[in-house]
Amino acid sequence: MQATLNPLSEPAWLWGAIRATGALASGVIDGREAATALADLEHGSALGGRLEELRGRTVLIVTHSQRSAALALIELDGVARRLVLSTPDLAPRHLPLVVTTARADACVRDAASPATLAVPMALTVTLSARPESPAPVRRRTETTEWILLTSGTTGVPKLVQHTLGSLTSALAHGRPLPGRAL
């Protein structure tokens, strides 16, 4: 009897799940400005050869495009210690609180996002519009924490910690597991 891999269960990582489910062959990240075939990530990276510089870091993802955010998440899950997913409508006055609370030390942005942030970062990487060669060696070294922002009643965002498993549990089990506030 052959074991069945459940790519949505812990300790899965996003790139591993994409490969395990066969989505690499036909999957596409579609956006208003362009579409990116998941197979393109097999041969390239949107991080401009800087993936290893982001390994083990807490990375703030600041993108205008959902496609750019999806590329960053796929490339960084299992690599970054923590991913902090900013929303395009985050008020600039709240950014220092988010960076400080999450202890972010790196930023991944797309070309439509501000080149500099109000908070200095040790490392800033701009995503390319398309994955470029060469592809990095994709290996999981972290169980990445995913930090999502929620709107509070005061308007100040609250940070909620998840794992890939807690975010995908609704797909695997029919009901989501709650995140943990930071």
Side-chain angles (χ1 to χ4, degrees):
M1 184 163 98
Q2 186 176 11
T4 303
L5 173 66
N6 180 355
L8 298 177
S9 65
E10 293 286 0
W13 60 307
L14 201 48
W15 179 251
I18 288 169
R19 290 190 60 120
T21 60
L24 195 60
S26 61
V28 174
I29 303 170
D30 206 2
R32 287 183 197 173
E33 73 285 354
T36 301
L38 290 176
D40 291 348
L41 291 173
E42 183 84 82
H43 308 291
S45 172
L47 295 170
R50 302 188 72 188
L51 183 67
E52 287 304 315
E53 292 177 69
L54 296 162
R55 188 169 299 283
R57 291 185 176 267
T58 296
V59 181
L60 174 67
I61 299 174
V62 181
T63 61
H64 238 55
S65 145
Q66 291 177 351
R67 185 186 66 82
S68 295
L71 282 171
L73 293 171
I74 290 168
E75 293 214 52
L76 292 169
D77 182 50
V79 173
R81 185 177 73 75
R82 179 180 281 169
L83 296 173
V84 184
L85 188 56
S86 177
T87 58
D89 62 347
L90 178 66
R93 71 180 181 276
H94 295 309
L95 192 57
L97 172 72
V98 170
V99 169
T100 301
T101 303
R103 296 190 276 305
D105 60 350
C107 178
V108 169
R109 58 176 294 278
D110 61 10
S113 297
T116 57
L117 301 173
V119 180
M121 303 298 280
L123 175 64
T124 299
V125 174
T126 301
L127 289 159
S128 58
R130 296 240 177 254
E132 301 169 354
S133 294
V137 174
R138 300 207 187 270
R139 60 190 174 92
R140 178 178 182 251
T141 57
E142 304 284 335
T143 300
T144 303
E145 297 173 356
W146 292 51
I147 308 300
L148 305 182
L149 307 182
T150 64
S151 59
T153 55
T154 62
V156 176
K158 292 176 179 43
L159 284 68
V160 180
Q161 177 183 343
H162 285 276
T163 63
L164 183 60
S166 70
L167 290 170
T168 60
S169 65
L171 300 173
H173 305 293
R175 59 181 163 75
L177 298 174
R180 187 179 62 131
L182 284 185

